[in-house]
Amino acid sequence: MKAIVIGAGAAGCFCAIQLKRLMPTAEVVIYEAGRRPLMKVAITGGGRCNLTNSFEAIGNLSEAYPRGAQLMKRALSVFDQNDICQWFENEGVPVVLQDDHCVFPESQDAMQIVNTLLHLLRKHGVQVHCSQKATLIEEGFRVTLAGADGALTTAEADFVVVTTGGSPKARGFAMLEPLGLEIVPPVPSLFTLNIPGQGLTDLMGAVVENATAKIAGTKFSASGPLLLTHWGASGPAILKLSSYGARFLAECQYCTSIILNWLGDANEEDAKLMLQEFASKYPSRQCSSVYPEVLSSRLWLHILQRSGIREDMRWAEMGRKGLARLASTLVCDTYQTRGRGHFKEEFVTCGGVSLSEISLKTLEAKKHPRLYFGGEVLDVDAITGGFNLQAAWSMGFVIAQSIAEKMKDEME
């Protein structure tokens, strides 16, 4: 029995290792278009590799997986975050849980994860061929591969696993055309927002530890740390918002209104009460010198300006209308976005092979038995925090288990 895995990322390599452990006599071959396997794993988490997440802050899986929550519910029931932590611990890789619920190797070195997986691939006899890009998958299964020099070769197998990752362009799925599968058009996810000419870029480096960002006129909203940059806004709050609203933002060409609540989940009445307290306690102080401790002085001056309030005005002079304007700006500060941050290797896309094309239980293509899809090649993606890698581990495990069961059935 032979299985071909197309794509040497986290899902593909993990699947190959698990399959060889379950079926040691099977021939498992990985073909990778890049020069090295696991290139994305090596840079994820800023080079520290955010392996997974404790999921403690997630109330509903759709909060972590805007697309593919039902699939992930099934996959996690088979192999979850605790399982992958134990898996790496068993391989001599201690892991640590941070306060933000993210899990990293204790070494804080992504290469420890990469080298562990590469060692296991060699140990179990998995063949890995790099600079071999799959250009066509045909019924049978016959896979056409293009080498670095453009030379074409073919490979055949009893099972094919596609784990090529996401693609920012639809042409990234061209190899699947003969199979007649529905492809959900890919668009970027997890990106920063450009907000030029509205004062935010002058605040580069300012951080609000708990802000809320919303896309005006929609239900898309996300909270968390927010970072102001020389091009606009970034940080977990913005990245999560971009994931939740990925398709909407693509449709409006990343030009829309976003509403920033600088006080997190506080409402306008909460803000008014806080400001009234400032006015009561510090009537003779200038408004610029008394501000919420969660904000920097630079950001506070920006908010005063946005509210039409002079920096040298004293709190006693503010008046009800001034307090109301300032409270409104604190919790409902609206900006116009003009584009997004550029696509980066460590970020992801939404879209891919439609989930209607596969069995959510086994990840096998409904129209093509023995053909499997895992990872970001599917229309599954997650917010930051280790959730995308957990999806890769879980799906790789599920596919390996499904193929092994089929192989055993056919050998009996």
Side-chain angles (χ1 to χ4, degrees):
M1 288 289 182
K2 180 179 179 180
I4 287 176
V5 178
I6 303 174
C13 290
F14 192 71
C15 176
I17 293 166
Q18 288 301 117
L19 182 54
K20 284 292 285 186
R21 286 181 167 179
L22 294 169
M23 296 296 293
T25 59
E27 180 184 359
V28 181
V29 184
I30 300 177
Y31 293 102
E32 163 60 34
R35 299 188 308 275
R36 298 187 305 276
L38 299 162
M39 291 177 67
K40 194 172 179 180
V41 174
I43 60 174
T44 188
R48 298 188 298 134
C49 193
N50 187 181
L51 278 174
T52 186
N53 193 285
S54 70
F55 286 76
E56 291 175 15
I58 301 299
N60 186 298
L61 274 183
S62 62
E63 296 173 17
Y65 299 97
R67 289 152 290 273
Q70 283 302 110
L71 182 153
M72 285 308 304
K73 182 177 181 179
R74 287 174 178 262
L76 288 167
S77 71
V78 177
F79 191 83
D80 67 9
Q81 67 275 17
N82 298 314
D83 295 320
I84 193 60
C85 289
Q86 188 60 57
W87 193 92
F88 276 108
E89 293 270 3
N90 292 343
E91 297 303 330
V93 182
V95 300
V96 293
L97 173 64
Q98 297 185 164
D99 292 341
D100 61 0
H101 311 295
C102 295
V103 178
F104 288 84
E106 191 176 84
S107 65
Q108 300 290 300
D109 184 3
M111 289 310 298
Q112 184 181 23
I113 300 302
V114 171
N115 292 331
T116 297
L117 294 172
L118 292 178
H119 165 73
L120 291 171
L121 289 169
R122 292 191 296 268
K123 175 183 175 181
H124 293 295
V126 176
Q127 302 172 50
V128 182
H129 301 285
C130 293
S131 298
Q132 292 290 317
K133 182 178 180 178
T135 60
L136 204 62
I137 302 175
E138 300 172 273
E139 294 271 15
F141 290 101
R142 188 182 184 207
V143 180
T144 301
L145 301 150
D149 58 359
L152 299 179
T153 57
T154 60
E156 295 184 359
D158 303 290
F159 297 85
V160 172
V161 181
V162 181
T163 55
T164 49
S167 171
K169 302 292 184 181
R171 64 175 177 265
F173 301 94
M175 66 177 176
L176 302 174
E177 284 180 6
L179 302 174
L181 299 171
E182 179 189 351
I183 305 297
V184 179
V187 298
S189 180
L190 294 184
F191 48 82
T192 60
L193 292 172
N194 296 338
I195 309 175
Q198 297 162 79
L200 288 186
T201 54
D202 297 332
L203 301 170
M204 180 181 66
V207 177
V208 179
E209 288 300 330
N210 184 32
T212 295
K214 300 178 181 179
I215 300 176
T218 75
K219 294 181 180 179
F220 301 122
S221 173
S223 298
L226 187 146
L227 169 66
L228 300 179
T229 68
H230 66 275
W231 64 87
S234 184
I238 296 298
L239 294 176
K240 283 194 288 185
L241 182 68
S242 76
S243 180
Y244 296 151
R247 293 212 168 276
F248 174 88
L249 289 166
E251 288 167 4
C252 69
Q253 298 183 315
Y254 309 101
C255 295
T256 189
S257 297
I258 65 163
I259 301 169
L260 300 181
N261 184 337
W262 300 109
L263 300 181
D265 58 358
N267 58 33
E268 196 165 334
E269 190 59 34
D270 296 329
K272 278 183 184 178
L273 289 173
M274 177 188 67
L275 296 175
Q276 286 169 355
E277 186 176 357
F278 288 165
S280 174
K281 285 186 176 180
Y282 311 104
S284 62
R285 296 273 296 274
Q286 291 185 349
C287 295
S288 59
S289 67
V290 179
Y291 51 89
E293 60 182 14
V294 295
L295 305 179
S296 68
S297 59
R298 285 195 304 152
L299 178 55
W300 178 245
L301 292 179
H302 170 77
I303 291 170
L304 287 177
Q305 184 180 32
R306 297 273 293 177
S307 306
I309 294 170
R310 301 190 327 271
E311 295 178 20
D312 61 353
M313 180 182 285
R314 301 187 185 281
W315 279 101
E317 301 169 351
M318 179 80 73
R320 286 185 301 174
K321 289 184 177 180
L323 286 173
R325 287 201 312 275
L326 185 53
S328 178
T329 304
L330 279 168
V331 301
C332 192
D333 200 5
T334 304
Y335 296 85
Q336 301 302 310
T337 64
R338 291 291 181 267
R340 61 176 178 83
H342 296 297
F343 178 82
K344 294 184 179 181
E345 285 182 287
E346 65 268 37
F347 287 359
V348 302
T349 58
C350 73
V353 176
S354 172
L355 300 188
S356 65
E357 295 284 0
I358 66 166
S359 161
L360 297 188
K361 182 179 180 181
T362 64
L363 307 187
E364 184 177 23
K366 294 175 181 177
K367 299 173 185 174
H368 306 283
R370 299 187 179 195
L371 174 64
Y372 294 80
F373 292 92
E376 292 171 32
V377 71
L378 289 169
D379 186 21
V380 178
D381 63 286
I383 61 174
T384 55
F387 300 104
N388 279 298
L389 265 183
Q390 181 60 55
W393 311 131
S394 295
M395 285 192 258
F397 188 93
V398 167
I399 292 170
Q401 189 177 69
S402 178
I403 293 176
E405 289 175 359
K406 281 203 170 189
M407 284 184 173
K408 289 174 182 176
D409 288 343
E410 293 183 18
M411 293 173 63
E412 288 177 355

